[in-house]
Amino acid sequence: MKNALIDFIFSTDCGMIEKIGLGEDYKNLSANELDLYQKLKALMNGEQNELFEKFIDANMQCASMSEEIYFKEGFKAGFRIVVECLTDC
């Protein structure tokens, strides 16, 4: 309950994702990542493939958790700056 409003803002699709341009660098990195993933999977046997998929899942969960933590802390920092600016007027 501590961050209920921030959790809501983070997890609710408010239509902003369509308005955020990821840029060419991101698109190139994403395409390269997919290409490398497909090439690596083709080289592995069943057991290696299963282990690799588990690694990918764990890595994505860690990245998602980090993204949420960074968002929440950035949101709080931004809000504190606004409050400080408004109270100094």
Side-chain angles (χ1 to χ4, degrees), residues 16-34:
M16 287 300 295
I17 194 70
E18 292 84 18
K19 296 177 183 176
I20 298 171
L22 297 175
E24 286 302 312
D25 288 342
Y26 178 85
K27 291 176 187 175
N28 291 337
L29 285 170
S30 182
N32 188 41
E33 177 184 39
L34 179 60

Side-chain angles (χ1 to χ4, degrees), residues 18-81:
E18 292 84 18
K19 296 177 183 176
I20 298 171
L22 297 175
E24 286 302 312
D25 288 342
Y26 178 85
K27 291 176 187 175
N28 291 337
L29 285 170
S30 182
N32 188 41
E33 177 184 39
L34 179 60
D35 184 48
L36 291 169
Y37 171 81
Q38 290 170 336
K39 286 178 181 177
L40 187 55
K41 279 190 63 90
L43 298 173
M44 295 185 290
N45 65 32
E47 184 180 338
Q48 292 168 332
N49 205 335
E50 184 179 331
L51 187 60
F52 181 62
E53 287 299 325
K54 287 180 181 179
F55 167 76
I56 293 293
D57 288 343
N59 185 271
M60 290 184 75
Q61 288 175 3
C62 186
S64 295
M65 190 176 285
S66 296
E67 180 181 306
E68 184 176 357
I69 291 166
Y70 296 149
F71 173 82
K72 289 177 180 180
E73 293 305 313
F75 189 92
K76 291 179 206 175
F79 194 78
R80 286 182 189 119
I81 290 169

